[in-house]
Amino acid sequence: MTENDFQELAAGRAVNALSPDDERAFDAALRAHPEWDVHVAAAFDAAAGLADAAPETVPPAHIRASLLARIATMPQDPPAPAAPVADAEPPLAEPTLAAREPVTAAGRARRGSRRMFALAASVAVLVAVGVGGVLVGQVFAPPASVVALEQIESAPDARSASVALPDGSEATAHWSSSLSRAALVTDGLPALTDDQTYELWFVRGGEPLSAGTFSASESGDTVAELSGDFHSGDIIAVTIEPDGGSPTGLPSSDPVLAITT
């Protein structure tokens, strides 16, 4: 076992995330290398520091479900060992430590499981103390624009309107007057060059008000929430502008689409 392998086991030990086999390997390695105890102390100090640094928070239930679902889809079997090549020169022996384990398929599998234990241990510590409630939630949470669309569609006064464009693409505006929010969903809108962007506009009383920029997805729907307050009767329009949006704050081209609310 290498010292790096032992560090990974120490991380798992700090949060009680080791398998029985790795518990035995951990104890054996520590007996063979008592100087590695510094890694054990560091792992326990790190776990304790995380616990002290954050208030206790109950993580949202969806984090655990999302994390378990993601882990369930990860490959669990190690790759099959390569077939030996006839008459090949034997490789030079690697430097060994007294307790180094053989490089076998089983050994590779155990090392892979240790890395998974170390990763799971880190996530477990973060979620347990509340820090991970934000960090892990950001990984598994849907994009903010999708959340906004769901909230708009759930409003009691939710409305929508669609347009079909000459190139075959479509756009649907969703809005809620009670929430003062609007979102645009496009399907098939062409991707632009790197120096261009789509800009959203509220056209209110004949005056365009910039509502942010977005990039069209090359596959599937694109969801973009309009920034600023939506007013009933606004026209939702989209123009093509220089990267970063119109430098003047006014449209520099004719709208590629406009939807009356």
Side-chain angles (χ1 to χ4, degrees):
M1 178 184 296
T2 68
E3 191 168 357
N4 285 338
D5 290 337
F6 183 80
Q7 284 182 279
E8 293 172 354
L9 289 179
R13 169 64 75 86
V15 291
N16 297 317
L18 294 183
S19 68
D21 286 345
D22 278 339
E23 285 280 0
R24 288 188 288 271
F26 173 88
D27 292 335
L30 189 56
R31 286 194 297 270
H33 299 278
E35 70 276 11
W36 290 355
D37 185 59
V38 294
H39 300 307
V40 181
F44 276 84
D45 287 346
L50 285 172
D52 293 340
E56 292 187 4
T57 304
V58 178
H62 74 272
I63 292 179
R64 180 178 183 276
S66 299
L67 181 59
L68 293 178
R70 181 68 62 87
I71 291 174
T73 62
M74 297 183 70
Q76 303 297 317
D77 297 328
V85 180
D87 301 325
E89 291 271 336
L92 294 175
E94 295 183 32
T96 59
L97 294 174
R100 186 181 180 90
E101 65 181 11
V103 183
T104 63
R108 284 192 294 269
R110 284 194 294 274
R111 291 179 187 176
S113 68
R114 288 170 190 158
R115 293 187 180 93
M116 286 301 297
F117 273 124
L119 175 61
S122 301
V123 174
V125 170
L126 291 173
V127 173
V129 302
V131 176
V134 175
L135 300 181
V136 178
Q138 290 174 346
V139 173
F140 293 104
S145 58
V146 174
V147 174
L149 176 61
E150 293 174 350
Q151 293 172 345
I152 292 169
E153 291 182 312
S154 298
D157 62 341
R159 298 290 185 273
S160 65
S162 301
V163 295
L165 305 182
D167 61 4
S169 57
E170 298 178 350
T172 302
H174 299 261
W175 66 90
S176 165
S177 297
S178 63
L179 298 179
S180 300
R181 299 172 74 181
L184 184 72
V185 180
T186 62
D187 181 13
L189 205 61
L192 301 176
T193 59
D194 292 341
D195 59 348
Q196 293 180 312
T197 189
Y198 287 108
E199 186 157 1
L200 294 155
W201 304 88
F202 289 124
V203 182
R204 184 177 304 155
E207 296 294 328
L209 303 173
S210 178
T213 62
F214 72 97
S215 300
S217 172
E218 295 182 359
S219 61
D221 292 345
T222 298
V223 181
E225 182 183 12
L226 283 80
S227 61
D229 289 341
F230 165 81
H231 292 187
S232 180
D234 283 348
I235 295 174
I236 294 175
V238 174
T239 61
I240 297 176
E241 302 293 341
D243 184 36
S246 171
T248 65
L250 295 173
S252 63
S253 63
D254 293 334
V256 295
L257 65 92
I259 300 175
T260 302
T261 65

